[in-house]
Amino acid sequence: EAGVAQSPRYKIIEKRQSVAFWCNPISGHATLYWYQQILGQGPKLLIQFQNNGVVDDSQLPKDRFSAERLKGVDSTLKIQPAKLEDSAVYLCASSLVAGVYTDTQYFGPGTRLTVL
Amino acid sequence: AQSVTQPDIHITVSEGASLELRCNYSYGATPYLFWYVQSPGQGLQLLLKYFSGDTLVQGIKGFEAEFKRSQSSFNLRKPSVHWSDAAEYFCAVAPRSGTYKYIFGTGTRLKVLA
């Protein structure tokens, strides 16, 4: 079974530039999550999708971050414009059944973003 | 406020030695509890989880964790560490109701000496 795929793996940009990350979850997984992991910290949930609808985006900085999950499969996370403090690893995860607490989240390898 | 504390940022053990990684949580009610491992360049992998029942939980790769309600702790243990266990370990909690949202600790980086 293929895991969660993310691209690119690394990205370096200047502040105020735009960047986009892509995630392809495990086939058939209804729920998709984007996390931000700043160096030395644990992952923080940015947004959660159930199929193609947003379940929770309370910690997403909506003035600069946006995310979409068209057709309920793959997803993109965009930052526009980027700030220095956005330097982090962006993790995508998926789970099979939406809204079930006992369901396991499977994580992708992440995209490491460096903002100069 | 809800929080997860992993008091040890770094731990170094010799190969073959036992291991215990600490995790304490602050929550209104007993949450669901998880341990994840993150190897360099890889995503997080679930080691084990506690929902209810037996407070000693067995996981993959020979890991186990014990839930202690009185201490609000969920410590991870392994009787004999292998060099391949070197990684970063994250404790996480999720509420039993409401928004299904993980809260992660800051992680413990494990170094294994040959």
Side-chain angles (χ1 to χ4, degrees):
Chain A
E1 178 182 82
V4 177
Q6 291 188 247
S7 67
R9 294 294 309 276
Y10 304 91
K11 189 74 176 178
I12 300 174
I13 61 173
E14 301 277 338
K15 60 183 179 182
R16 291 188 289 273
Q17 285 186 323
S18 302
V19 64
F21 312 128
W22 174 82
C23 172
N24 189 24
I26 293 173
S27 178
H29 279 199
T31 310
L32 185 147
Y33 312 81
W34 282 103
Y35 289 85
Q36 180 191 58
Q37 185 178 14
I38 293 173
L39 186 64
Q41 300 182 20
K44 181 184 80 172
L45 180 69
L46 292 177
I47 188 167
Q48 177 186 343
F49 291 95
Q50 178 176 327
N51 297 310
N52 61 348
V54 175
V55 174
D56 185 344
D57 63 356
S58 57
Q59 299 189 103
L60 186 73
K62 298 181 187 63
D63 58 334
R64 297 182 301 106
F65 285 66
S66 65
E68 61 182 7
R69 191 183 184 196
L70 299 176
K71 302 179 182 178
V73 181
D74 55 354
S75 174
T76 56
L77 176 69
K78 296 179 181 177
I79 307 175
Q80 180 179 10
K83 293 185 175 181
L84 296 176
E85 59 262 35
D86 298 332
S87 293
V89 175
Y90 291 85
L91 296 166
C92 180
S94 69
S95 61
L96 181 61
V97 182
V100 175
Y101 297 99
T102 55
D103 199 23
T104 297
Q105 294 187 24
Y106 295 87
F107 285 79
T111 296
R112 181 177 298 277
L113 173 67
T114 302
V115 182
L116 302 176
Chain B
Q2 303 156 354
S3 65
V4 178
T5 302
Q6 293 180 247
D8 303 305
I9 298 174
H10 297 280
I11 282 186
T12 299
V13 300
S14 297
E15 190 170 20
S18 63
L19 172 70
E20 182 169 30
L21 302 182
R22 295 182 291 165
C23 173
N24 293 92
Y25 63 89
S26 175
Y27 228 83
T30 301
Y32 294 117
L33 298 156
F34 308 83
W35 274 100
Y36 278 84
V37 60
Q38 186 175 36
S39 299
Q42 309 217 352
L44 283 78
Q45 181 184 20
L46 180 67
L47 286 175
L48 47 78
K49 56 190 176 184
Y50 173 77
F51 294 143
S52 64
D54 192 346
T55 57
L56 185 62
V57 181
Q58 300 299 319
I60 62 171
K61 305 185 179 187
F63 285 92
E64 65 178 25
E66 185 172 14
F67 168 59
K68 293 185 177 180
R69 184 190 305 272
S70 61
Q71 299 177 19
S72 296
S73 69
F74 188 56
N75 293 348
L76 182 71
R77 301 194 294 247
K78 187 169 186 179
S80 178
V81 171
H82 189 264
W83 64 267
S84 60
D85 294 324
E88 189 150 24
Y89 292 80
F90 291 93
C91 180
V93 303
R96 291 179 179 263
S97 61
T99 303
Y100 180 39
K101 183 186 299 184
Y102 280 8
I103 298 174
F104 283 87
T106 52
T108 297
R109 185 168 295 279
L110 174 66
K111 183 177 179 179
V112 180
L113 301 177

